[in-house]
Amino acid sequence: MRTKMAKILLWSLAALVACTFGGTASAQYKATMKLASATPMDHPYNVGAKKFADLIKERTQGRIEIKIYPAGQLGKGEREMTEGVQQGAIDLLVTSTGPMGGFSPSINILDFPFLFRDYQHVDSVLDGPIGRRLLDDFEKANLKGLAFWENGFRHLTNSKKPVRNVEDARGLKIRTMENKVHLAAWKAAGLNPTPMAWGEVFTALQQRVIDGQENPVAVIHSTKLWEAGQKYFSFTAHVYSPALLLINKKLFEAMPKEDQEIFLKTALEVAQFQRKINRDAEEEKLKEMETKGVTVVRDVDRDSFKRAMSPVYDEFSSQFPRSQIEEIMNAK
Ligand code: PAF
């Protein structure tokens, strides 16, 4: 009788401990989640997403499985897919911050041209308190920003001519992201920009509806834009384009605390990996593009673009005062 009582007592204690630390809740939680992106499977977004999915599966002992839907399978552009995450049709998304101002206006502060000096500057801002604040702001839009990943510094491509300075680029009809700061910057520089969802760009380039576009090396390389006539690449690095790993906020909050922590920790860990593979492969991808017949202009007069685009800082100063811009510019 005494042994039986002791066993019951022990069992109750174990159950109490398990419940207190969420063990029981997470042991019961099972889910299959859809992760979307606009880029092809071999693009760094999805190499990162695959690693994230593998680690989550391992760290939740197979309870949470993440399936990847690349190349715009779940939406023709990132704005549309973000709406899908808000509504719960998509669970997770790796996206540039391009069209995110419509969801969380504060994020547009990262979109100013020539704001970031280099990757080290990027990391110190995105991984510091400014980055954390910007991620937290997404909560108001029923989105949870898990971490900043990377799209990269953006460069101009076109089908008409080698562009060495802003004068060469004037008059070109280019696609931009659905982003008011980018749009204003290109207008100020004398180009003819049109915002467009990414899913429509390849055909628009192919049909010569537009002359060019701008994106990081990994996007241009993985979508083989030379096959759509983009023969000229210019190393303008006019703006840094962060990426976000977003999850539907309600879904995240419904997960046991222990799993939430696994998601947050893993998203940050993969951020370092994802940024590294993106950066390390850039030069090799540029060289491969040259073998495909792309003229790569490396010695671009970036100052000419910087001067021409600078009026946007004043244009948006009521939303983003100089003090906020300087907080980013002065970050070490
Ligand atoms: O240009 C864009 O819309 C984005 O950079 C892309 C290609 C969808 C990747 O985030």
Side-chain angles (χ1 to χ4, degrees):
M1 185 66 182
R2 264 212 193 136
T3 349
K4 200 175 169 196
M5 280 296 287
K7 265 190 192 158
I8 290 171
L9 212 72
L10 259 177
W11 185 86
S12 314
L13 203 67
L16 187 75
V17 168
C19 286
T20 310
F21 295 103
T24 303
S26 51
Q28 283 164 0
Y29 185 85
K30 282 196 178 66
T32 302
M33 299 181 183
K34 287 184 187 164
L35 183 152
S37 82
T39 53
M41 198 58 206
D42 62 350
H43 179 267
Y45 282 0
N46 301 312
V47 180
K50 170 84 175 57
K51 182 153 188 100
F52 182 74
D54 289 347
L55 286 171
I56 291 294
K57 190 169 180 182
E58 183 189 313
R59 292 172 181 178
T60 62
Q61 290 80 43
R63 288 180 293 103
I64 303 182
E65 212 167 315
I66 296 173
K67 293 205 168 128
I68 301 167
Y69 296 81
Q73 283 174 30
L74 300 186
K76 71 176 163 68
E78 292 178 328
R79 184 175 47 77
E80 190 179 307
M81 286 191 276
T82 307
E83 284 162 5
V85 180
Q86 275 185 317
Q87 290 150 11
I90 298 172
D91 301 310
L92 293 133
L93 177 69
V94 187
T95 174
S96 75
T97 54
M100 292 299 137
F103 300 91
S104 183
S106 61
I107 196 76
N108 276 142
I109 196 162
L110 302 178
D111 293 316
F112 284 88
F114 300 98
L115 177 65
F116 290 100
R117 293 182 296 277
D118 50 29
Y119 286 129
Q120 194 192 327
H121 185 200
V122 164
D123 292 347
S124 90
V125 172
L126 299 187
D127 297 338
I130 301 174
R132 176 46 49 203
R133 261 187 339 251
L134 293 173
L135 284 179
D136 290 347
D137 282 349
F138 278 93
E139 305 220 355
K140 294 175 208 134
N142 195 30
L143 296 163
K144 170 95 189 151
L146 292 174
F148 277 107
W149 287 8
E150 179 163 280
N151 193 10
F153 281 96
R154 300 178 78 89
H155 310 285
L156 183 69
T157 69
N158 82 94
S159 58
K160 295 222 150 142
K161 56 182 172 182
V163 168
R164 298 202 153 75
N165 52 45
V166 76
E167 284 299 324
D168 294 340
R170 288 215 164 108
L172 285 177
K173 194 165 180 198
I174 62 159
R175 174 267 180 179
T176 66
M177 295 198 281
E178 297 164 276
N179 180 302
K180 59 183 184 178
V181 182
H182 288 195
L183 199 61
W186 286 111
K187 272 191 190 148
L191 282 82
N192 188 358
T194 318
M196 202 181 276
W198 178 244
E200 291 166 358
V201 176
F202 195 91
T203 313
L205 290 170
Q206 221 168 20
Q207 295 175 349
R208 304 295 192 265
V209 176
I210 43 176
D211 306 317
Q213 64 83 52
E214 44 80 59
N215 249 303
V217 172
V219 170
I220 297 162
H221 178 267
S222 64
T223 37
K224 302 185 174 61
L225 287 191
W226 55 88
E227 290 182 2
Q230 294 294 282
K231 288 190 294 196
Y232 303 102
F233 172 103
S234 300
F235 208 87
T236 48
H238 50 275
V239 71
Y240 178 75
S241 179
L244 291 163
L245 176 62
L246 292 175
I247 185 167
N248 175 281
K249 184 168 166 262
K250 286 204 184 99
L251 172 70
F252 183 77
E253 286 171 352
M255 281 164 45
K257 276 269 162 317
E258 202 179 286
D259 289 341
Q260 289 181 5
E261 272 154 30
I262 294 175
F263 266 57
L264 285 167
K265 179 173 168 274
T266 309
L268 288 175
E269 204 177 300
V270 175
Q272 301 308 318
F273 161 83
Q274 193 270 344
R275 290 180 206 167
K276 184 165 171 19
I277 55 153
N278 192 41
R279 295 167 190 182
D280 287 355
E282 246 187 20
E283 188 49 38
E284 199 186 309
K285 286 178 180 170
L286 274 178
K287 287 205 177 109
E288 200 190 319
M289 277 158 51
E290 285 176 309
T291 69
K292 302 289 178 192
V294 177
T295 302
V296 174
V297 182
R298 290 165 197 268
D299 57 340
V300 172
D301 176 4
R302 296 181 60 226
D303 278 343
S304 70
F305 282 92
K306 190 173 177 178
R307 276 193 303 274
M309 290 178 168
S310 64
V312 290
Y313 283 89
D314 282 341
E315 195 176 329
F316 290 94
S317 63
S318 58
Q319 192 184 349
F320 299 110
R322 194 71 203 171
S323 56
Q324 282 182 23
I325 297 283
E326 275 171 7
E327 195 189 354
I328 295 183
M329 281 181 165
N330 296 337
K332 295 281 173 262

